[in-house]
Amino acid sequence: LRRFEDGKLNVLFAARIERRNGLDLLLAAFHRAWKQIEARLLVLGDGPRLAGAKARLPSELAEDVVFAGAAGEDRADWFAAADVFCAPSQEPSGGHTLLEAMAAGKPVLASDVEGYRDVLAHGREGELLAADDPGAWARALVRISREPVRAAAYGERARLTAQRHAWPSIAHEVLGLYRSIGVRG
């Protein structure tokens, strides 16, 4: 994925392309931000709304929106190529993909929905944004692009948070709990 190492802000969306995952909102936000910054949207996923999303894409964005299809073995490479990960979910969500991006040390922009709030603290690992406000998303993308120190700090804190959610940490906590109540293994 070296072709994306050209100085543009690489914005990653990785989810099934259906209404609840918010690609339409992100496309609208990206279009607004794209008018102010050099950026590229990497869309990783497929689904029932893929053809419609491609058809509605303004022609001026054609070169800067990459529809990569479903992730395969190279999923980690897409996260590595990203500068920021966006999860504009329209409904509560589990946050597993957020943790994947955070483990890669990426700042995260996510909808302020149940589930994501359990993983991401606004202003710490990234930002929680209204799920229905493309203007707020556009401003956040511009901020990430123009404030690399902020973006790097979000990414570093994201990596540390993801480590606390990794299986070795969880297993250690569970074993400690069992020991504290007298369960022997």
Side-chain angles (χ1 to χ4, degrees), residues 46-67:
D46 61 11
R49 297 181 61 112
L50 176 60
K54 287 180 176 180
R56 288 187 303 277
L57 187 69
S59 60
E60 65 188 13
L61 292 180
E63 290 184 26
D64 288 319
V65 176
V66 177
F67 289 95

Side-chain angles (χ1 to χ4, degrees), residues 33-53:
W34 177 86
K35 293 175 182 180
Q36 300 176 56
I37 60 173
E38 292 284 320
R40 175 186 299 109
L41 178 59
L42 308 172
V43 179
L44 193 57
D46 61 11
R49 297 181 61 112
L50 176 60

Side-chain angles (χ1 to χ4, degrees), residues 97-108:
T97 308
L98 295 189
L99 286 169
E100 189 175 4
M102 292 164 70
K106 303 304 172 180
V108 174

Side-chain angles (χ1 to χ4, degrees), residues 24 35 49-50 53 57 61-62 71 73 77 82 96 109 126-127 135 138 155 185:
D24 290 339
K35 293 175 182 180
R49 297 181 61 112
L50 176 60
L57 187 69
L61 292 180
E73 294 177 10
D77 294 335
H96 302 294
L109 302 178
E127 299 179 14

Side-chain angles (χ1 to χ4, degrees), residues 4 79 83 100 170:
F4 301 131
F79 279 90
D83 296 304
E100 189 175 4
I170 292 170

Side-chain angles (χ1 to χ4, degrees), residues 7 14 24 26 36 59 70 80 83 93 106 129 144 167 169 179 183:
D24 290 339
L26 183 57
Q36 300 176 56
S59 60
D83 296 304
S93 191
K106 303 304 172 180
L129 305 162
I144 291 291
W167 283 114
S169 296
R179 289 184 186 115
V183 176

